[in-house]
Amino acid sequence: MDADTTKGVYAAHERLVAPARLRPEIWRLLAGLGLIAVVVFALNAGVLAVAGSLGSELWLRNFLAGATPVAMLILLASFAFVTLGVTLAARQLQRRSLQTIVGPYHLALTQFWHVLRGLLLLGAVLLVLPPYDMGAPMQPNLSVTVWLAVLPFSLLAVLIQTSAEEILFRGYLQQSLAARFRSPVIWMGLPSILFAMGHYVPSEAGDNALLIALWSGVFGLLMADLTARAGTLGPAIALHLFNNIVALLFVALPNSLDGLALFLIPYEMSDTTNLRVWLGVDFVLMLIAWLVARLALRR
């Protein structure tokens, strides 16, 4: 799509871009990203300092890997630092409030619920369809009792994490670029590339790292599309939340942020034989979820 074609399709995006267009200079965006990085680094350093003082080096490694429920809750909740950084950057450099980034709160919440409700229905349908494993039996991780006991906190923590990523990538970054550049290739593409780079982890994923990053980049593009169509971050947050609830709370990869999961996938992220098959399946499911979200927005 060129810029003229997207005017009609993405007309609602103007609601989010207009406040940023008042101060569209690229130096403001770059300075804002620098401020966000400082805030996130400083506050996370404080969390790590406290965590390091509470246990051994092994305990700290397990904490950073999210190997326990408490560790995962803290790691996910720490994404609130990203939201704080964006709020400060937008206020200081663009004279914008967080609401101008998220969109009108009532509308964002309404769209969030419509999309999430559709995705929950999709999840229920997928749950009863075969296959019932991922090539091998799922490995139990947390007991059902413990999992249910921490579930309310887990859901809140995942919401904090997913909303923070959307506020940064599809909010502050996408809107700031759209205020300066007309082409969606730039304001949709660049944040998605950066989002993909953040998910490129060859130390954990091995030869699957590039495919996982590619999956993340496409996911970012789909979230950018939903945001531009809706004029709020509500739908993107809902789909991101649904995705991460499944990936972090129900069935997680072993040895990788698995402290809150009920089950573990029966192979690791670097397994090229099994994981690549399911990456293809997951890619199709991602597209289906995006279409469900698109349909929900027509209500």
Side-chain angles (χ1 to χ4, degrees), residues 54-90:
L54 296 177
S56 63
E57 182 178 345
L58 177 61
W59 185 92
L60 182 60
R61 286 203 299 269
N62 288 333
F63 172 79
L64 292 174
T68 67
V70 171
M72 273 295 290
L73 289 174
I74 294 174
L75 290 176
L76 292 173
S78 70
F79 276 79
F81 302 154
V82 175
T83 300
L84 175 61
V86 170
T87 303
L88 293 174

Side-chain angles (χ1 to χ4, degrees), residues 265-296:
I265 293 173
Y267 37 82
E268 296 188 353
M269 192 186 300
S270 58
D271 188 324
T272 56
T273 302
N274 293 294
L275 189 67
R276 288 190 179 184
V277 174
W278 284 100
L279 278 175
V281 173
D282 204 32
F283 185 85
V284 173
L285 292 177
M286 174 175 62
L287 293 177
I288 294 173
W290 169 68
L291 291 173
V292 167
R294 289 267 307 270
L295 289 173

Side-chain angles (χ1 to χ4, degrees), residues 199-213:
H199 290 79
Y200 180 69
V201 283
S203 60
E204 297 179 23
D207 291 339
N208 290 328
L210 190 58
L211 286 175
I212 292 173

